[in-house]
Amino acid sequence: MSAGEEIVGTGPTPSEFLSLHEIIQKAHQILPKEKWDSLTGGAETETTLKRNRQAIDSVAFEPRVLRNVTTIDLSVEHFGRKLRLPVFLAPTGPLNLFDSGGGATAVAAAQAFDIGHMLSSGCTPLETVAEAAPSALRMAQLYVRGDDTFVHEYIGRALACDCAVICLTVDSPVLARRDRDIANRYRTAGLGKWSGQAHQAGLDWQTVKLIKDSYDIPLALKGIATVEDARIAVDHGVDWIYVSNHGGRQLDHGRGTMDVLPEIVDAAAGRAKVMVDGGFCRGSDIIKALAIGADLVGLGRMQCYALAAGGAAAVIRMLELMEDEMLRSMALLGVSAIGELGRSYLYPAAPVTIPSALSAFPLIDLSNS
């Protein structure tokens, strides 16, 4: 059974969820306070976390009308295959905190919905995930916990498991202070795997060169947040720039990923494709990122809420609801295919809500749950 099935809570079952609000509300009912706080919290003052949401909310739509939108295509092609949506389940560490199957449960949902899944090296073993979903688009994220031999061994395992991408995380030389976890005296199971942290702290561009020189597999760098580093990445032949600030859980007082995204897309200049995550939790959020020029959008916290709310079935339902929101946004913008999106559909605007991890869900009431 999944964690969502083992603990009985009030409210709808996965097949009965009618909105993303209901999934998050169910997750809150099920998760213990320390897990909920850890999931929704960020580093120190949580400024970066809030800026992620503020940056998304600072973009307004400029719709076009009298366009034929009777048929809308949300599919994209990446890694030699067609994906139902331009989204992927982002690497989020120990997913077993939210479902007993961990990464295997999440990748099974990704396979069923025909989107990508990126597995954190601090989560379920690569081999277990490959067995659970052999035909899924599986991407392997890497925290370096050893010398070059460690890197070669992990990439060898990823290749043996037919992973489509190696993603090196580059924004975590140390683990940030997360005050909600400290206040709750909460230490997640995944932190026990942070031995060898000195190797992550010692990462430099030589490791990027090592991987590019040694393997014929697409390489992504996760944690790029500046134009300067994006340019160095493409000069090293990096295939995917992954714009991320760890969901506001690493460097505090950073910029929101949506804020820096246009600059990095322009810096990549088509020499590398661009992934992004950081506060994206509604269909309209994803459309905004795609219009700016992102190729794929990662879902981190949304994946975890859904796993907690009802395992793989709830993840699939979350994706169905996200797809419906995307379809409606596209139709109302006057756009019938992802490739038609562009920055002409966007306009800078002042946010109308106070940003937080849950500010995109105004109907959520956590007071009685």
Side-chain angles (χ1 to χ4, degrees):
M1 283 189 175
S2 70
E5 293 169 334
E6 290 167 351
I7 305 173
V8 177
T10 60
T13 62
S15 62
E16 297 171 334
F17 291 133
L18 297 182
S19 72
L20 296 172
H21 289 78
E22 294 179 357
I23 293 176
I24 296 173
Q25 190 85 36
K26 184 67 173 285
H28 181 259
Q29 292 171 351
I30 288 173
L31 289 174
K33 180 180 186 300
E34 63 272 14
K35 288 187 181 181
W36 175 261
D37 285 354
S38 184
L39 174 57
T40 57
E44 299 179 14
T45 68
E46 300 185 345
T47 297
T48 305
L49 182 155
K50 294 172 184 175
R51 283 181 178 157
N52 276 343
R53 191 63 231 174
Q54 184 177 47
I56 296 170
D57 291 341
S58 295
V59 177
F61 284 128
E62 289 209 306
R64 301 298 303 275
V65 298
L66 296 175
R67 305 279 186 89
N68 186 340
V69 290
T70 52
T71 301
I72 296 176
D73 184 7
L74 295 178
S75 67
V76 294
E77 292 190 14
H78 293 298
F79 312 109
R81 61 190 296 170
K82 187 174 182 179
L83 303 174
R84 179 168 167 177
L85 298 178
V87 305
F88 66 100
L89 301 183
T92 53
L95 292 174
N96 61 296
L97 295 174
F98 309 105
D99 181 279
S100 60
T105 302
V107 76
Q111 177 176 270
F113 205 80
D114 202 12
I115 63 165
H117 174 273
M118 186 177 287
L119 179 72
S120 169
S121 57
C123 191
T124 313
L126 288 164
E127 295 79 6
T128 303
V129 169
E131 183 178 356
S135 65
L137 170 61
R138 288 174 283 103
M139 300 175 274
Q141 176 268 353
L142 171 61
Y143 286 111
V144 176
R145 294 289 179 261
D147 58 14
D148 290 351
T149 300
F150 176 93
V151 174
H152 286 301
E153 188 272 338
Y154 186 81
I155 295 177
R157 290 172 57 205
L159 290 171
C161 290
D162 292 324
C163 291
V165 185
I166 297 297
C167 179
L168 180 66
T169 289
V170 296
D171 67 344
S172 302
V174 297
L175 181 65
R177 292 181 62 86
R178 299 171 186 172
D179 285 1
R180 290 181 190 244
D181 290 349
I182 294 170
N184 288 326
R185 301 298 188 266
Y186 180 59
R187 183 176 175 84
T188 67
L191 295 186
K193 300 181 180 180
W194 277 72
S195 59
Q197 179 63 28
H199 293 282
Q200 188 76 25
L203 278 183
D204 59 23
W205 291 100
Q206 284 300 116
T207 302
V208 176
K209 185 177 186 303
L210 172 71
I211 297 172
K212 288 300 298 180
D213 288 348
S214 302
Y215 300 97
D216 184 21
I217 184 173
L219 175 64
L221 298 187
K222 180 179 183 288
I224 299 294
T226 64
V227 167
E228 293 81 2
D229 283 340
R231 288 173 178 158
I232 297 172
V234 295
D235 286 343
H236 278 74
V238 168
D239 304 276
W240 285 82
I241 294 172
Y242 190 158
V243 183
S244 177
N245 53 37
H246 238 86
R249 296 165 68 80
Q250 279 297 100
L251 178 66
D252 198 17
H253 295 280
R255 295 171 66 185
T257 55
M258 190 71 159
D259 186 30
V260 73
L261 180 62
E263 302 169 12
I264 293 182
V265 168
D266 292 345
R271 296 169 63 193
K273 294 187 180 296
V274 178
M275 302 175 178
V276 64
D277 68 17
F280 297 92
C281 51
R282 303 300 298 254
S284 55
D285 300 345
I286 295 167
I287 298 301
K288 290 178 184 180
L290 298 171
I292 284 175
D295 296 286
L296 287 174
V297 180
L299 304 176
R301 286 184 175 89
M302 290 303 298
Q303 172 187 191
C304 297
Y305 294 137
L307 282 172
V315 175
I316 292 170
R317 184 58 181 150
M318 178 269 290
L319 292 167
E320 289 173 344
L321 292 168
M322 195 82 72
E323 179 181 51
D324 184 68
E325 291 187 349
M326 291 176 67
L327 286 168
R328 293 172 189 274
S329 292
M330 292 275 283
L332 293 169
L333 280 173
V335 179
S336 59
I338 297 297
E340 297 174 9
L341 287 168
R343 297 182 191 180
S344 65
Y345 292 94
L346 307 177
Y347 194 84
V352 298
T353 56
I354 298 173
S356 73
L358 296 174
S359 59
F361 302 100
L363 301 184
I364 288 182
D365 179 10
L366 304 181
S367 61
N368 296 316
S369 55

